[in-house]
Amino acid sequence: MTDLYLIRHGIAAEHGTYQNDDERPLTQEGDRKTRKVASRLKELELEFDIILTSPLIRARQTAEILKAAGLSQQLEECAALAPGGNLHDWVSWYNNWKTTSAKAFALVGHQPDLGHWAELLLWGNFQESLIVKKAGVIGITLPSTGSPIGQSQLFWLTSPKFLLS
Amino acid sequence: MTDLYLIRHGIAAEHGTYQNDDERPLTQEGDRKTRKVASRLKELELEFDIILTSPLIRARQTAEILKAAGLSQQLEECAALAPGGNLHDWVSWYNNWKTTSAKAFALVGHQPDLGHWAELLLWGNFQESLIVKKAGVIGITLPSTGSPIGQSQLFWLTSPKFLLS
């Protein structure tokens, strides 16, 4: 069994403030809060074999913060994690990547995709039933064999509020 | 919108150690850990208009601990929260109880019921996709109008591990 952590990027510059939406960076508050979340995750002794991130700046920055906090040694971009990306694309990546020693990995991405993917993994379909705040975390246990879709289990869903205050 | 917190009873004496299973109390560790969870919930500024509890000892004790931590002034037993209870029975209670001023309430009960109820509220059916540890918490936002079944949203799911360590 492998644990998957879906992590939403931190608070970023408002939509529309950058000509290219992909380039919106974390705000100062977003950076600060994301660092706090990262150090809390480290305190909780989480460790990711790899962090895959959406290539968009705000996600990439979030992933760099997680790596810098010591949560993983490895960070890669994954196009399927950009907004509108397809679950099946990164599940194929996962099927290639996973080994018997893989314990946990993290994906850094966007809403509503992260919530949809989580629902697909848990129930096989989605209806926007999960609230995923910026810098929020979803923890899912993937089954050791067979497709993870509709066969996974949720062990954690939290907003920064419940992690930090 | 009303926030519902589903809280599983703390660690109790092993199944089979009491002639009447309903009378198994919290162990010393269960009591200690449940108190820690309760005070962490208080720190997070949670407040319940009412706590409803399963009549079984281990749930009742858990609910008393939550009340003693200052999370609610009101505590009542609800037969529908005993193992094998029916979601629709306490949803009827909820429909009678709710007022425009109702902000949050808590149900203290058992697995697998709590997980099933959460899934029914979120998706309208269940397939054991939620992992709910002892003294773990599920936070669900119920819609302001209409049936909550299949219309609610998950904002929190945590085990004591992520709350306390």
Side-chain angles (χ1 to χ4, degrees):
Chain A
M1 292 205 298
T2 308
D3 287 343
L4 162 64
Y5 292 82
L6 300 170
I7 302 173
R8 188 176 174 197
H9 66 79
I11 301 167
E14 288 289 331
H15 185 72
T17 51
Y18 279 68
Q19 208 167 8
N20 180 350
D21 191 72
D22 297 5
E23 289 174 5
R24 287 192 284 129
L26 298 185
T27 61
Q28 211 171 355
E29 190 200 349
D31 179 86
R32 192 182 50 79
K33 225 174 182 177
T34 305
R35 280 177 204 281
K36 278 194 178 177
V37 167
S39 79
R40 179 70 185 131
L41 297 183
K42 182 68 185 170
E43 232 173 60
L44 289 169
E45 299 180 353
L46 299 194
E47 210 180 314
F48 310 130
D49 295 315
I50 188 169
I51 300 171
L52 283 195
T53 181
S54 145
L56 275 59
I57 303 293
R58 57 193 182 278
R60 175 92 208 182
Q61 287 179 329
T62 300
E64 299 277 7
I65 289 171
L66 296 167
K67 182 166 183 277
L71 288 159
S72 185
Q73 309 261 333
Q74 238 194 314
L75 170 59
E76 279 178 29
E77 280 188 13
C78 172
L81 302 185
N86 192 317
L87 168 72
H88 298 278
D89 289 345
W90 68 256
V91 168
S92 306
W93 169 87
Y94 168 69
N95 286 329
N96 279 320
W97 170 78
K98 72 174 170 188
T99 57
T100 47
S101 67
K103 289 212 182 76
F105 68 109
L107 305 182
V108 179
H110 307 266
Q111 270 295 76
D113 305 275
L114 291 179
H116 291 174
W117 295 340
E119 290 185 283
L120 285 166
L121 292 170
L122 302 173
W123 289 278
N125 54 56
F126 63 83
Q127 52 186 64
E128 314 240 337
S129 298
L130 303 179
I131 297 175
V132 191
K133 299 283 189 184
K134 290 185 180 104
V137 180
I138 302 175
I140 290 174
T141 296
L142 305 177
S144 13
T145 55
S147 165
I149 295 167
Q151 309 293 330
S152 302
Q153 286 193 299
L154 186 75
F155 64 86
W156 201 23
L157 182 146
T158 191
S159 66
K161 182 173 84 172
F162 293 123
L163 267 178
L164 302 178
S165 49
Chain B
M1 293 208 299
T2 309
D3 286 343
L4 161 64
Y5 293 83
L6 300 170
I7 302 172
R8 187 176 175 197
H9 66 78
I11 302 165
E14 288 289 330
H15 186 72
T17 51
Y18 280 68
Q19 207 167 10
N20 179 350
D21 190 72
D22 297 5
E23 289 174 5
R24 285 193 284 130
L26 298 184
T27 61
Q28 211 171 355
E29 190 201 348
D31 179 85
R32 193 182 49 78
K33 224 173 182 178
T34 306
R35 279 177 206 281
K36 279 195 177 177
V37 167
S39 78
R40 178 71 186 132
L41 298 182
K42 182 67 185 171
E43 232 173 61
L44 290 169
E45 298 180 354
L46 298 195
E47 208 179 315
F48 309 130
D49 296 315
I50 188 169
I51 299 170
L52 284 196
T53 181
S54 146
L56 275 58
I57 303 294
R58 57 193 182 277
R60 175 92 209 182
Q61 287 179 328
T62 301
E64 300 278 8
I65 289 171
L66 296 168
K67 183 165 182 277
L71 289 159
S72 185
Q73 309 262 330
Q74 239 193 311
L75 170 60
E76 278 178 30
E77 279 187 13
C78 173
L81 302 185
N86 193 316
L87 168 74
H88 299 278
D89 289 345
W90 69 256
V91 169
S92 307
W93 169 89
Y94 168 69
N95 286 328
N96 280 319
W97 170 79
K98 71 174 170 188
T99 59
T100 46
S101 66
K103 288 211 182 79
F105 68 110
L107 305 183
V108 179
H110 307 266
Q111 271 294 76
D113 305 276
L114 291 178
H116 291 172
W117 295 340
E119 289 185 283
L120 285 165
L121 292 169
L122 303 174
W123 289 276
N125 54 55
F126 62 83
Q127 51 186 66
E128 313 239 339
S129 300
L130 304 177
I131 297 174
V132 192
K133 298 283 188 183
K134 290 185 181 107
V137 181
I138 302 174
I140 290 174
T141 296
L142 305 176
S144 13
T145 55
S147 165
I149 295 167
Q151 309 293 329
S152 303
Q153 286 192 300
L154 186 74
F155 63 86
W156 200 23
L157 183 146
T158 191
S159 67
K161 182 172 82 171
F162 293 122
L163 267 178
L164 302 179
S165 48

